[in-house]
């Protein structure tokens, strides 16, 4: 069975500092990896996704993530965060044969402080 | 461009009452999903519909039923609401068939349900 672990439930960071949100997954089949962002009282919005090819994936709002197959990780990074990046971030996987069902991690709440 | 529309946005129910959450998408997607979001647990799949006419259980289906009314609409019904069903419910849809994998899911704005 597939599963996703987000290693930090909360990450506080100062504005303009770099940030990394960690995600590990477990699967016996090939997976497709996603990061979604949820702003307060909103739905989920796709930040980026990895399907195949280059392991470094760039997304919206200056975020990027690196797929590491040997470590089964897909960590999200941003070199300099803004106050507006304060939100909850979800890592998710889907897999071939799974009808694009997404399996989510528990989420990481990013709090950017001035 | 509405995307995925959910109604209602908020609802308070008494234990034992029933209600139906509505979801419609205008992107011609085949697959639709219902998730619930609880603090510290991420989003968990309740039911999904891979295509019109089919529905399948997800991770947490107990206490829920679904209907794929047509290609656009996918409703979630609580027959006898319980306090444990207090949650935020999200509907999502995704691009065509399972052969096209790895496509993103588009989410509605959510329904905040409280059962007292």
């Amino acid at each position: 069975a597939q599963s996703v672990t987000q290693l930090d439930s909360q990450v506080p960071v100062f504005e303009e500092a770099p940030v990394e949100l960690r995600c590990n997954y477990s699967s016996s089949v090939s997976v497709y990896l996603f990061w979604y962002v949820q702003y307060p009282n909103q739905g989920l919005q796709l930040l980026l996704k990895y399907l195949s090819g280059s392991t470094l994936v760039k997304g919206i709002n200056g975020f990027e993530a690196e797929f590491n197959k040997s470590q089964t990780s897909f960590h999200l990074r941003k070199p300099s965060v803004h106050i507006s990046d304060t939100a909850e971030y979800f890592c998710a996987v889907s897999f071939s044969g799974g009808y694009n069902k997404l399996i989510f991690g528990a989420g990481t709440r990013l709090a950017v402080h001035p | 461009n509405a995307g995925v529309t959910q109604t209602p946005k908020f609802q308070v129910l008494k234990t034992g009452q029933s209600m139906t959450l509505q979801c419609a998408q205008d992107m011609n997607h085949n697959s639709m999903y219902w998730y619930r979001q609880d603090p510290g647990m991420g989003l968990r799949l309740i039911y999904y519909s891979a295509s019109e006419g089919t529905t399948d259980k997800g991770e947490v289906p107990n206490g829920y039923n679904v209907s794929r009314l047509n290609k656009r609409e996918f409703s979630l019904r609580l027959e006898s609401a319980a306090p444990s069903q207090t949650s935020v419910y999200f509907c999502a849809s995704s691009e065509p068939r399972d052969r096209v994998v790895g496509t993103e899911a588009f989410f509605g704005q959510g329904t905040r349900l409280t059962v007292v």
Side-chain angles (χ1 to χ4, degrees):
Chain A
Q2 292 74 27
S3 66
V4 178
T5 302
Q6 290 184 244
L7 298 163
D8 306 292
S9 59
Q10 296 187 61
V11 173
V13 64
F14 287 109
E15 194 172 20
E16 297 184 6
V19 71
E20 178 180 80
L21 306 184
R22 297 180 293 169
C23 173
N24 286 88
Y25 68 92
S26 173
S27 177
S28 57
V29 299
S30 295
V31 296
Y32 309 95
L33 297 155
F34 303 80
W35 276 99
Y36 281 83
V37 60
Q38 183 182 35
Y39 299 104
N41 299 315
Q42 300 279 321
L44 278 71
Q45 177 184 1
L46 181 71
L47 272 180
L48 47 79
K49 64 182 179 182
Y50 172 79
L51 304 184
S52 64
S54 172
T55 57
L56 183 63
V57 180
K58 294 190 183 296
I60 62 171
N61 300 340
F63 284 93
E64 63 181 32
E66 186 157 19
F67 170 59
N68 188 318
K69 188 174 183 179
S70 62
Q71 297 188 5
T72 60
S73 68
F74 190 55
H75 300 335
L76 181 70
R77 302 185 183 101
K78 187 170 182 178
S80 176
V81 294
H82 303 289
I83 296 287
S84 59
D85 292 322
T86 295
E88 188 144 23
Y89 292 79
F90 292 95
C91 182
V93 303
S94 68
F95 50 95
S96 180
Y99 298 101
N100 285 338
K101 291 181 294 182
L102 288 168
I103 299 169
F104 285 87
T108 297
R109 186 169 299 277
L110 176 65
V112 181
H113 301 284
Chain B
N1 187 6
V4 180
T5 303
Q6 292 181 234
T7 55
K9 288 186 169 50
F10 301 93
Q11 184 71 49
V12 179
L13 289 179
K14 293 182 179 179
T15 298
Q17 286 185 318
S18 62
M19 80 160 294
T20 299
L21 280 63
Q22 306 287 353
C23 175
Q25 52 92 7
D26 62 3
M27 294 172 283
N28 201 36
H29 289 168
N30 274 318
S31 298
M32 297 185 74
Y33 317 85
W34 276 105
Y35 290 88
R36 60 176 289 173
Q37 182 181 20
D38 302 292
M41 303 188 76
L43 281 78
R44 293 179 292 168
L45 184 65
I46 305 170
Y47 271 92
Y48 68 100
S49 172
S51 61
E52 186 179 356
T54 69
T55 61
D56 282 288
K57 294 178 181 179
E59 185 184 357
V60 288
N62 291 344
Y64 305 95
N65 285 301
V66 291
S67 295
R68 184 73 183 267
L69 304 169
N70 48 54
K71 192 171 184 179
R72 290 187 63 246
E73 298 172 286
F74 187 39
S75 62
L76 178 72
R77 182 161 178 84
L78 286 70
E79 290 291 351
S80 179
S84 60
Q85 294 178 304
T86 294
S87 187
V88 182
Y89 291 85
F90 286 99
C91 178
S93 70
S94 179
E95 259 301 289
R97 306 182 188 281
D98 188 52
R99 288 189 291 276
V100 181
V101 294
T103 53
E104 68 183 272
F106 293 81
F107 286 80
Q109 294 296 293
T111 296
R112 189 173 297 273
L113 175 67
T114 302
V115 183
V116 298

